[in-house]
Amino acid sequence: MIVAFALFGAGITIFDINFSHFLRGQFQMGAGFRSFLEFPRESQGFAVVFYGVMLGAATERRVFVIAAMTTAAGMTALALLPPRIIPDSVAGIVPALPLIGFVMVHSAGMHLSTVMEQSIIIESGGQDGAGRRLGWVGFWRTVGALVAAIAILVVGRLTDIGYRPFFFAGAMLSVAAAALVMFVTRGQSIQRVKRRRLRFDRRYKRYYLLCALFGVRKQVFITFALWALVTVYDQPLSTVALLWFLFLSLIHI
């Protein structure tokens, strides 16, 4: 199971490192439309609570498989989009509808699978030692992300292969993670799960607020810092991969 999560983390890292270059190079996207694109993309992070309820009769492992395959489908569809210029205004919404739709598909799968990872880890061994297991899986997930960043750095320095091969590689890693989870759980007895319900508890309001602030910080620092590196400082993909590697190393290891 740890290997599956590490593979999925590597696939997500490949997408994240390439995404800004992809938008700029494939669609000549400006800062205004890039900011707008974050709304439909990140709306899927909020919508995860509803997806979890809709799939409430399925086990966490099955939901992860569905989410990982959805992530792969979104990445593959984005890789197959033809290049075009998207105006940096309201006029760009219509020509960008396929892009917006596939970005939302990828984002929905990515956010849902991340939530299911934590549930699977806790479910696999109960509450005792859950924190240690979460930390251990997080470590190997970070290792997978670091390996992906190094791979992009090396390939980016050696050749210019464009964005599609990287997106296809990320999709293949996501499919491999889903297949591995299916293989590991094959033959296991399927227990009837209690249907998930959407619940809001006022006792956890500070936690909800901290999660919202964390999301804001993440958007400002990661999303738009990468965009500034690509558009303002004109840094190549290999440099972004190197900085991503250093960033992950500093905050996780």
Side-chain angles (χ1 to χ4, degrees):
M1 200 70 72
I2 291 177
V3 176
F5 295 154
L7 291 174
F8 189 77
I12 294 300
T13 299
I14 290 175
F15 178 85
D16 288 339
I17 293 177
N18 281 272
F19 192 49
S20 293
H21 282 89
F22 167 72
L23 294 177
R24 187 65 170 177
Q26 194 85 342
F27 303 104
Q28 302 299 307
M29 189 173 291
F33 202 89
R34 177 67 184 92
S35 300
F36 164 76
L37 186 61
E38 279 305 291
F39 175 75
R41 189 169 88 97
E42 286 303 317
S43 67
Q44 299 308 295
F46 178 77
V48 160
V49 294
F50 302 104
Y51 298 148
V53 172
M54 291 167 58
L55 297 170
T59 63
E60 279 80 0
R61 289 174 172 82
R62 285 185 173 178
V63 175
F64 176 84
V65 170
I66 294 172
M69 295 299 291
T70 302
T71 305
M75 268 193 274
T76 303
L78 286 170
L80 296 176
L81 282 177
R84 67 181 307 171
I85 297 177
I86 296 179
D88 195 29
S89 64
V90 178
I93 294 179
V94 173
L97 284 177
L99 170 65
I100 294 172
F102 294 143
V103 164
M104 292 177 68
V105 169
H106 169 269
S107 181
M110 183 269 294
H111 281 99
L112 184 57
S113 60
T114 302
V115 173
M116 288 301 108
E117 279 185 16
Q118 299 176 1
S119 297
I120 291 170
I121 295 166
I122 295 174
E123 176 203 32
S124 62
Q127 294 293 331
D128 295 337
R132 182 168 57 253
R133 293 196 306 275
L134 286 169
W136 188 243
V137 172
F139 169 78
W140 285 108
R141 200 178 193 277
T142 301
V143 170
L146 290 172
V147 172
I150 293 175
I152 295 175
L153 171 62
V154 173
V155 174
R157 289 284 176 85
L158 295 178
T159 182
D160 182 15
I161 62 174
Y163 320 105
R164 289 184 177 181
F166 286 118
F167 279 15
F168 288 141
M172 290 174 61
L173 288 172
S174 297
V175 171
L180 188 55
V181 170
M182 291 178 62
F183 176 78
V184 170
T185 58
R186 186 180 58 179
Q188 293 183 1
S189 59
I190 301 176
Q191 299 179 352
R192 187 175 181 85
V193 297
K194 185 177 180 180
R195 192 170 184 86
R196 302 178 190 90
R197 298 174 60 187
L198 183 59
R199 179 178 176 183
F200 180 83
D201 196 323
R202 293 185 62 183
R203 292 179 299 171
Y204 305 127
K205 60 183 179 181
R206 291 185 177 87
Y207 173 74
Y208 301 147
L209 177 60
L210 289 174
C211 288
L213 292 176
F214 173 79
V216 171
R217 190 275 308 169
K218 182 180 178 182
Q219 291 307 113
V220 172
F221 180 73
I222 296 181
T223 301
F224 295 107
L226 286 178
W227 185 253
L229 285 172
V230 174
T231 60
V232 178
Y233 299 102
D234 197 25
Q235 294 301 308
L237 185 62
S238 58
T239 300
V240 174
L242 174 61
L243 293 174
W244 191 277
F245 174 85
L246 295 174
F247 170 71
L248 287 177
S249 301
L250 290 174
I251 66 172
H252 288 293
I253 296 180

